[in-house]
Amino acid sequence: LLIATLGPATLLYTHRYRSHVHQLIPLLLLGQFLAYAIVDFSRYIHGKKFNTEKIHNLAFYYTRQVIASFYVLAAISKLLATNGMWPLRAINIAPAVVKTHAHQYYEELQTGLLERGEWMSNLIINYPFIFIGIFCVTIFFELFAFSAVFNKRLAFLVGMGLLIMHGGIRWTMGLVF
């Protein structure tokens, strides 16, 4: 399923610059695959038997680990690429905002999208400290996403933070997740 989903989804969305929908399903499938593969490997090597509930809990736990690791990897990549200055470079996102709104306009031909992109870009340029603060919070949630695997309360808090982050990205840049 992982390969069957990743291949067609990649081909389907390669022309859609602002769509990242296809990335979530392969991540979920990767976590599920790892869990069930480890269980089958343990059965084969050690002859261990697992009850169904434990197998499904393990699959959910591995899925959470895979998703959290990708957020941490994204944060580390951003920080390494900018020598730790990623939040302070918030103003540099302004041209990308105009570009994503233009892509959305060319896909949907909705009036007002080009103007909204310019308005949002000017907002970033005119109020950079607001966006620097927002970027600091988002990099924090991405960097510490691994804490979601420790318990349900942390998973809820980190999950809500990441959902709000994605909502902000969608509102600011028009990217679909």
Side-chain angles (χ1 to χ4, degrees):
L1 276 177
L2 176 65
I3 293 168
T5 302
L6 189 58
T10 302
L11 290 174
L12 179 65
Y13 290 110
T14 52
H15 71 286
R16 301 184 83 190
Y17 173 75
R18 44 177 220 94
S19 182
H20 299 281
V21 175
H22 67 285
Q23 294 171 350
L24 183 61
I25 293 173
L27 286 178
L28 296 174
L29 289 173
L30 178 62
Q32 303 286 313
F33 172 77
L34 289 173
Y36 292 114
I38 288 172
V39 167
D40 284 343
F41 184 73
S42 294
R43 282 183 192 157
Y44 178 75
I45 298 296
H46 304 293
K48 283 186 175 180
K49 294 206 175 195
F50 294 91
N51 72 22
T52 306
E53 185 178 336
K54 282 188 178 183
I55 294 171
H56 296 315
N57 287 340
L58 184 67
F60 179 71
Y61 183 69
Y62 275 36
T63 302
R64 213 170 28 175
Q65 285 183 343
V66 167
I67 292 171
S69 67
F70 275 88
Y71 278 109
V72 174
L73 181 63
I76 290 171
S77 299
K78 289 173 189 172
L79 291 172
L80 287 176
T82 60
N83 294 323
M85 304 299 286
W86 186 78
L88 299 176
R89 295 188 177 173
I91 200 166
N92 294 343
I93 202 166
V97 170
V98 173
K99 191 162 119 179
T100 56
H101 280 82
H103 280 277
Q104 186 177 3
Y105 171 75
Y106 295 131
E107 282 182 18
E108 301 170 9
L109 297 176
Q110 283 184 331
T111 57
L113 284 174
L114 295 175
E115 293 82 8
R116 186 181 188 287
E118 289 178 24
W119 173 79
M120 187 61 66
S121 179
N122 287 331
L123 190 68
I124 293 168
I125 292 168
N126 293 330
Y127 302 100
F129 293 110
I130 292 173
F131 285 89
I132 288 171
I134 291 170
F135 276 44
C136 286
V137 171
T138 60
I139 200 75
F140 174 81
F141 276 109
E142 284 184 325
L143 201 54
F144 291 98
F146 69 88
S147 62
V149 300
F150 296 136
N151 65 42
K152 289 181 180 180
R153 183 172 289 141
L154 281 173
F156 177 76
L157 292 173
V158 169
M160 290 305 293
L162 293 172
L163 280 174
I164 291 168
M165 178 191 79
H166 282 289
I169 292 169
R170 184 175 183 141
W171 180 75
T172 305
M173 297 193 68
L175 295 175
V176 181
F177 292 94

